[in-house]
């Protein structure tokens, strides 16, 4: 029996990278979106420019589930290298579309799926003479065939092509022609539509389709960042590149054509963070974007920024480790290396956005937090959020919001200040006042060092002064708990002994998993952690439940370790649910793993009389 | 080492500069370096240069890395903000600071361990970006704070205090600076304040990456027979190609020298240098010839000092980046935040 579903299935495109498939696949995803049906596309790509396997997975979900689902209902098999595995991964009853130009042995197929052959190469060879055209248009031709098979509104596709090639009439016509080549062939030669179909819906609403890196970069624009120093590293490079584009659009002075921003591609990550620290020390809002290996390289400087109390913003778009690891695969794997970055006793503020909209919000507020707390702020993205287009609530900005520059003394304030000590805790919140170079001719200057100085920034190697400073830094970190975004809690419909803690890109899969678990009769309260240091409600949430699952995308349960360490929680009560193969976590995985453990925990209690 | 706190009293008739400051207003804390350290002479030259140029001390930001040289910013310009950053990374911190506020004077002080070894990359990249700064390397060929290991500027054949002979090639920072595009390059000797002070003044007036390599003997670990960075050795091998007689602000100057012996150099910002030629062959505007001259003399064991190169035209990093005239750290919400209307437009483009 073939799979039957309307607006709820996963289609996977298996391609060779560098073959021009990306824009065709995106055209497919966007056309579904234009029909009002939520989609969640994901690029699974190699660290390579041309020739290696790449996949594009589009989850179509009328119900609006945006996490990866796992499994493939419809495969477009365009890569012979990965054919066997790809075909094996199709769900029973699923569909396979392949290039039938050359006959394939029967052993290469499966009996329990619907096989759809389209002679893509033959169609393109008939139509085009240039090799590059034959290659490129093959992708558009299969998208055309899909439009017939899945009943996609072809007018939406034409409109999208029109938008893409605005003002380039020739390209528009050529692409439209290729689209119809595939569509017409399918309409004429294939059963259509198949069991998987798309019906126009209104489930998208006002939502936008955006990559997390672009949204975070726009957050930096709105947060007032003027200096960006970075070093290219996947999957973060598109963040500073997006910042560049946003700035060119929004930050060029219309009268003078001069830039109200400075972006430097540094020689390495050490230099990137050094520039950020120098700029922030001098009063500009500055950031860098990097990934795990970059975080490793920045460790010494991050410690300096912590001790010297310099506001810096670091966007960490996490990927699987190590440097020669899987740079194009997603993980939440830098939690500990960021939380405790550097030598000496250090703790850093981390923010965990769940999607592009929150990446924008946190991307902007990170600069207020950095200035307020005078410390590095890490915005912890990952490849799944950063490099995939995600359906997201529209970005919003409150025009009444003013930048919070924190405790920054002006020349006038220095004139009247009774006593200035750079590391003096005047207000009891652990946050001292700071001054910028050049502020006042003879007041407020100080010499910046890591430690080895007293409350007035005078050189000393006295132990008591060092300890005093360390205690103040702890008070400051305590202050941060109430300034950072609070965890969000959603309780099950009925009272339960079980809770789940999750964060970041796990969010959509977790939301969906809750539904799956409820369907299996499991009630679970959930808490999404949005920042470190942890708000007091994290400890209470754990206290209110017998067992709390901690769902993360790393091997070692890094967030769990951080909770155990910082909240003094009995580790036995925190049950790790870990996904770390480099693919995005799925609802099926979470629900399965939690349900298995819940079943195991359902031990029939010993009867009292037998115990005594 | 000294633990004396600097007395606050001063002579009532100390000379004042154009903005009414005395020499004392440019000093810092008492140096804790070894008595006779070449670095202290460089600090004195910096103080002298800033005093003579009548620079308000708070308009200078002084940055350093780690090492004896990097400790020195404490000992001059006590009213300036200073930043003792991490080893070898002063150039990036300075670059960032400069990006934030293009209006201040940036003085980077580093050593040969800091700039030629651990921070060789940052040294090079800050220079090739044309950061508007004065970058001084206090070059003694040795790691002093860690007790006498060779640095990367130590000459092959040079003998350490413990008797070890250096077998590695030396990095010539001046040669590198010239090659990668510094628009002002000088070399001097901490034992020659008369040469050093005007060089620093000229470097401050220069817009762009100004680099000065100052041979500064380490009296504790590298001032013995067999060292090529000792006071005696440098004095014996010093080949001075020119002498900066004076550096003005932007006023025009009258020259009263025999023709041919003095060259008047107009800097990009309008300041003027009077350069007395000691080597008639040496052309301070010819970068390629300068590199060749330096290599040639270095091969003969000579240490060429003086103003080695100044570019006729120089553009700094802000010029390359086309940044606004207002320092970036002075832009507020109004100038930086595009607001909700622009965001709504952006949202609309993503549907």
């Amino acid at each position: 029996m073939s799979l039957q579903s309307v607006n709820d299935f996963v289609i996977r495109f298996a391609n060779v990278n560098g073959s021009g498939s990306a824009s065709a696949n995106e055209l497919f995803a966007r056309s579904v979106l234009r029909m009002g049906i939520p989609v969640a596309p994901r690029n699974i790509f190699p660290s390579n420019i041309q020739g290696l396997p790449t996949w594009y997975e589009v989850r179509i979900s009328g119900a609006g589930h945006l996490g990866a689902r796992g499994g493939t209902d419809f495969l477009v098999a365009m890569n012979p290298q990965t054919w066997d595995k790809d075909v094996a991964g199709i769900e029973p009853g699923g569909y396979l579309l392949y290039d039938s130009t050359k006959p394939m042995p029967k052993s290469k197929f499966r009996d329990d799926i619907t096989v759809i052959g389209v002679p893509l190469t033959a169609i393109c060879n008939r139509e085009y003479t240039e090799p590059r055209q034959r290659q490129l248009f093959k992708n558009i031709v299969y998208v055309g065939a899909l439009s017939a098979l899945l009943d996609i509104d072809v007018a939406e596709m034409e409109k999208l092509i029109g938008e893409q090639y605005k003002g380039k009439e020739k390209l528009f016509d050529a692409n439209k022609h290729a689209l119809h080549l595939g569509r017409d062939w399918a309409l004429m030669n294939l059963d259509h539509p198949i069991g998987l179909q798309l019906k126009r819906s209104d489930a998208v609403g006002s939502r936008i389709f955006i990559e997390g890196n672009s949204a975070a970069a726009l957050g930096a624009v709105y947060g007032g960042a003027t200096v960006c120093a970075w070093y290219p590293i996947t999957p973060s490079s598109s963040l500073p590149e997006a910042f560049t584009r946003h700035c060119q659009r929004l930050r060029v002075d219309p009268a003078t054509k001069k830039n109200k921003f400075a972006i430097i591609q540094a020689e390495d990550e050490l230099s990137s963070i050094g520039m950020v620290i120098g700029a922030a020390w001098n009063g500009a809002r500055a950031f860098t974007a990097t990934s795990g290996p970059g975080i490793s390289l920045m460790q010494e400087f991050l410690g300096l920024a912590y001790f010297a109390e310099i506001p810096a913003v670091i966007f960490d778009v996490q990927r699987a480790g190590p440097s020669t690891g899987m740079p194009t695969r997603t993980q939440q794997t830098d939690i500990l290396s960021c939380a405790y970055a550097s030598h000496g006793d250090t703790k850093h503020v981390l923010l965990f956005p769940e999607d592009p909209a929150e990446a924008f919000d946190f991307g902007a507020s990170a600069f207020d937090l950095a200035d307020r707390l005078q410390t590095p702020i890490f915005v912890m993205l990952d490849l799944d959020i950063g490099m995939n287009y995600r359906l997201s609530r529209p970005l919003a900005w409150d025009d009444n919001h003013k930048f919070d520059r924190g405790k920054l003394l002006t020349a006038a304030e220095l004139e009247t200040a009774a006593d200035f000590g750079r590391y003096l805790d005047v207000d009891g919140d652990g946050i001292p006042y700071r001054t910028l170079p050049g502020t006042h001719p003879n007041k407020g200057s100080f010499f910046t060092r890591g430690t080895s100085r007293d409350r007035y920034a005078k050189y000393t190697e006295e132990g008591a002064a060092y300890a005093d400073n360390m205690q103040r830094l702890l008070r400051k970190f305590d202050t941060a708990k109430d300034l950072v975004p609070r965890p969000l809690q959603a309780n099950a419909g009925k009272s339960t002994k079980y809770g789940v803690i999750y964060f970041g890109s796990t969010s959509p899969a977790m939301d969906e998993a809750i539904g799956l678990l409820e369907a299996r009769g499991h009630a679970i309260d959930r808490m999404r952690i949005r920042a470190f240091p942890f708000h007091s409600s994290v400890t209470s949430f754990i206290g209110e439940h017998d067992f709390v699952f901690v769902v993360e995308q790393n091997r070692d349960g890094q967030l769990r370790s951080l909770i155990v360490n910082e909240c003094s929680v009995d580790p036995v009560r925190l049950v790790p649910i870990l996904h770390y193969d480099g693919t995005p976590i799925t609802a099926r995985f979470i629900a399965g793993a939690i349900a298995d453990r819940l079943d195991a925990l359902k031990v029939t209690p010993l009867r009292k009389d037998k115990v005594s | 080492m000294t633990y004396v706190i600097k007395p606050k009293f001063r002579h009532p008739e100390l000379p004042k500069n154009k903005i009414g400051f005395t020499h004392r207003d440019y000093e810092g804390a008492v140096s804790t370096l070894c008595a006779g350290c070449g670095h202290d002479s460089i600090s004195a030259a910096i103080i002298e240069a800033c005093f003579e140029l009548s620079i308000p001390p708070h308009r200078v930001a002084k940055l350093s890395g780690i090492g004896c040289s990097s400790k020195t910013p404490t000992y001059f310009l006590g009213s300036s903000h200073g930043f003792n950053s991490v080893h070898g990374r002063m150039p990036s911190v300075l670059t960032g600071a400069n990006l934030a506020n293009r209006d201040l004077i940036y003085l980077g002080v580093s050593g040969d361990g800091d700039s030629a070894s651990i921070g060789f990359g940052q040294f090079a990249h800050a220079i090739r970006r044309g950061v508007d700064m004065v970058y001084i390397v206090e070059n003694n060929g040795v790691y002093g704070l860690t007790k006498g290991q060779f640095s990367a500027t130590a000459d092959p054949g040079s003998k350490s205090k413990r008797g070890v002979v250096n077998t590695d090639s030396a990095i010539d920072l001046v040669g590198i600076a010239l090659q990668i595009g510094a628009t002002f390059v000088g070399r001097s000797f901490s034992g020659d304040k008369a040469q050093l002070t005007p060089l620093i003044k000229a470097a401050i007036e220069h817009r762009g990456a100004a680099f000065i390599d100052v041979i500064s003997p380490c009296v504790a670990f590298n001032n013995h027979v067999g060292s090529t960075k000792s006071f005696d050795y440098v004095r014996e091998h010093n080949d001075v190609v020119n002498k900066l007689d004076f550096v003005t602000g932007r006023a025009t100057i009258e020259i009263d020298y025999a023709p041919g012996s003095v060259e008047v150099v107009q800097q990009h910002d309008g300041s003027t240098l009077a350069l007395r030629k000691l080597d008639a062959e040496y052309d301070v505007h010819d970068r390629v010839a300068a590199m060749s001259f330096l290599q040639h003399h270095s091969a003969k064991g000579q240490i060429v000092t003086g103003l080695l190169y100044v570019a006729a035209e120089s553009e700094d990093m802000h010029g390359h980046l086309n940044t606004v005239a207002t320092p970036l750290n002075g832009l507020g919400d109004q100038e930086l935040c595009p607001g909700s209307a622009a965001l709504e437009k952006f949202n609309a483009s993503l549907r």
Side-chain angles (χ1 to χ4, degrees), chain A residues 200-212:
Chain A
R200 192 167 276 281
S201 168
D202 57 359
V204 171
S206 66
R207 281 184 285 180
I208 58 169
F209 200 48
I210 185 174
E211 290 161 305

Side-chain angles (χ1 to χ4, degrees), chain A residues 206 222 251 259 282 399 403 448, chain B residues 82 97 106 322 329 333 336 339-340:
Chain A
S206 66
Y222 275 73
R251 282 275 197 78
N259 297 331
N282 211 0
D399 286 327
F403 297 157
T448 304
Chain B
Y106 293 92
N322 192 34
N329 71 354
D333 299 64
L336 298 178
S340 62

Side-chain angles (χ1 to χ4, degrees), chain A residues 282 436-438, chain B residues 58-61 98 101-106 132:
Chain A
N282 211 0
L436 300 181
Chain B
H58 75 292
R59 304 304 296 172
V60 181
N98 186 304
N101 183 356
R102 60 190 301 174
D103 282 355
L104 299 183
I105 293 165
Y106 293 92
D132 186 12

Side-chain angles (χ1 to χ4, degrees), chain B residues 200-212:
Chain B
I200 294 174
K201 284 167 70 178
I204 290 174
E205 295 288 328
H206 180 77
R207 185 168 73 201
F211 175 71
I212 308 174

